[in-house]
Amino acid sequence: MSNRTFTMIKPDAVRAGNIGNILQMITDAGFKIVAMKYLHITTAQAEKFYEVHASRPFYGELTQFMSSGPIVAAILEKENAVADFRKLIGATNPAQAEEGTIRKKYAASLGENAVHGSDSDENAKIEGEFYFSGIEQF
Ligand code: GDP
């Protein structure tokens, strides 16, 4: 169990003006922001980030969507960070997300679901290092 996870506020939530609301929910839930940046990734960068999903039928849609506008990428710290953050964001499909979760509140669809949250400690480390160098983490 590690105390760090990685998140992105996805282009749909940025377009809808929900960066502030989502960051508020994250910090209210006790997560500390260790690193953060606002950037627009290329399709090639999205393909690299989501390489593990390359064989999935939605890979093209996902990588197009993630490079369709700016995102906020962040590393978060809290005890039991990965599991607690998955609980805070809710199910992948917002129609199945519990009340009070970020996806229930701010996500529109299975594909455009407002936020990313790492699914393991190992992936949290890999994903955090994709965006941030050591001197960008506090
Ligand atoms: P997560 O860990 O809850 O984000 O879900 P997954 O790892 O299963 O999928 C990664 C991301 O791919 C999701 O957050 C969605 O943005 C996207 N995704 C998953 N399933 C679908 C789908 O059926 N269609 C589309 N367009 N995108 C999907």
Side-chain angles (χ1 to χ4, degrees):
M1 185 178 92
S2 137
N3 61 352
R4 285 188 175 193
T5 191
F6 171 78
T7 187
M8 291 178 287
I9 300 176
K10 297 185 179 184
D12 59 322
V14 171
R15 275 193 281 274
N18 287 323
I19 295 176
N21 294 328
I22 291 171
L23 288 177
Q24 188 73 58
M25 283 183 75
I26 291 171
T27 52
D28 283 352
F31 291 88
K32 178 190 158 213
I33 296 168
V34 169
M36 185 161 69
K37 58 177 72 163
Y38 186 42
L39 78 171
H40 187 160
I41 58 172
T42 64
T43 304
Q45 287 168 333
E47 285 168 356
K48 179 86 188 126
F49 182 86
Y50 282 108
E51 217 165 28
V52 291
H53 291 314
S55 62
R56 310 276 286 273
F58 56 83
Y59 183 63
E61 255 177 52
L62 173 61
T63 53
Q64 283 299 320
F65 165 59
M66 289 303 294
S67 56
S68 69
I71 60 166
V72 174
I75 296 174
L76 306 172
E77 193 169 82
K78 182 185 183 293
E79 202 179 301
N80 201 26
V82 166
D84 284 4
F85 193 69
R86 295 286 294 190
K87 218 175 286 168
L88 178 65
I89 67 178
T92 307
N93 186 343
Q96 278 141 31
E98 278 183 45
E99 283 302 330
T101 61
I102 294 175
R103 282 170 168 166
K104 181 72 182 183
K105 275 189 129 153
Y106 298 116
S109 67
L110 171 60
E112 306 204 357
N113 59 3
V115 279
H116 169 84
S118 304
D119 62 5
S120 67
D121 291 343
E122 188 194 3
N123 284 337
K125 187 168 185 301
I126 294 168
E127 292 170 359
E129 286 172 359
F130 184 89
Y131 284 96
F132 299 101
S133 70
I135 58 164
E136 294 174 311
Q137 301 180 32
F138 309 102

